[in-house]
Amino acid sequence: MTAQLQKHDSLLGKTLTEFAYLLTPARWAYEQLNLKLSTNDHGQHILTMTEGAQEIASAHRLNAAELYSVALAMFLLCARRPDNTLRLLVLDDPFLNMDELTVSTVARAIGRLIRLWPDSDGWRLLILLHRESDVRRFAREVLC
């Protein structure tokens, strides 16, 4: 998996940027996300994410809701790659630290993504939500 990520980190960065645009209400405010896989002194693999040509760490430029959106995008893009006999993805309160507009936008993007999944592959998505308002908002945006 590490070798594949090193080979395709640029493509994953572009794909992540495109999907992160769908997950954020103000798409015009974000630059290209750049991913780079490196190895530290202890031989551990580290995936760094920067934004834009200046290569400023995304953690220093994005607020908590934006970072959660990017993490959610990364998870949803990569989670179906490893072998998973249950074919089940579980998200526990993915709307943490998000306002109502962001929750609606993220829910809409998740709905668009899962419509791309073929019914024949049997993948399911289980989302645990902690606020009743998020449940209502998500159910309005996505066929459940």
Side-chain angles (χ1 to χ4, degrees):
M1 182 78 172
T2 304
Q4 285 181 329
L5 189 55
Q6 283 177 327
K7 182 178 177 184
H8 301 290
D9 58 0
S10 175
L11 179 60
L12 181 59
K14 291 176 184 173
T15 307
L16 180 63
T17 298
E18 289 298 318
F19 190 52
Y21 285 165
L22 289 176
L23 291 169
T24 53
R27 294 176 187 94
W28 60 86
Y30 301 96
E31 296 183 43
Q32 171 78 33
L33 296 172
N34 305 304
L35 298 177
K36 183 178 179 185
L37 186 67
S38 57
T39 306
N40 67 8
D41 297 336
H42 303 291
Q44 299 169 321
H45 297 293
I46 299 171
L47 183 66
T48 55
M49 181 176 64
T50 58
E51 186 181 15
Q54 299 173 342
E55 295 202 6
I56 297 173
S58 296
H60 298 293
R61 294 190 56 156
L62 303 176
N63 66 32
E66 293 164 339
L67 284 173
Y68 282 128
S69 295
V70 171
L72 181 61
M74 179 74 116
F75 174 76
L76 290 172
L77 288 173
C78 298
R80 293 172 22 130
R81 298 274 305 155
D83 188 30
N84 180 340
T85 55
L86 293 178
R87 296 202 172 285
L88 175 67
L89 301 179
V90 180
L91 298 173
D92 183 13
D93 197 19
F95 303 135
L96 185 67
N97 291 331
M98 293 184 188
D99 60 21
E100 293 83 7
L101 176 61
T102 305
V103 169
S104 294
T105 305
V106 169
R108 206 170 299 132
I110 289 173
R112 288 178 181 150
L113 178 69
I114 60 176
R115 279 196 302 268
L116 295 174
W117 296 352
D119 291 336
S120 60
D121 70 0
W123 280 92
R124 295 176 312 246
L125 180 63
L126 173 65
I127 300 178
L128 306 172
L129 299 173
H130 298 197
R131 294 184 302 211
E132 187 176 338
S133 62
D134 289 345
V135 173
R136 285 193 307 270
R137 200 165 276 107
F138 192 84
R140 261 196 323 260
E141 299 295 339
V142 179
L143 182 62
C144 300

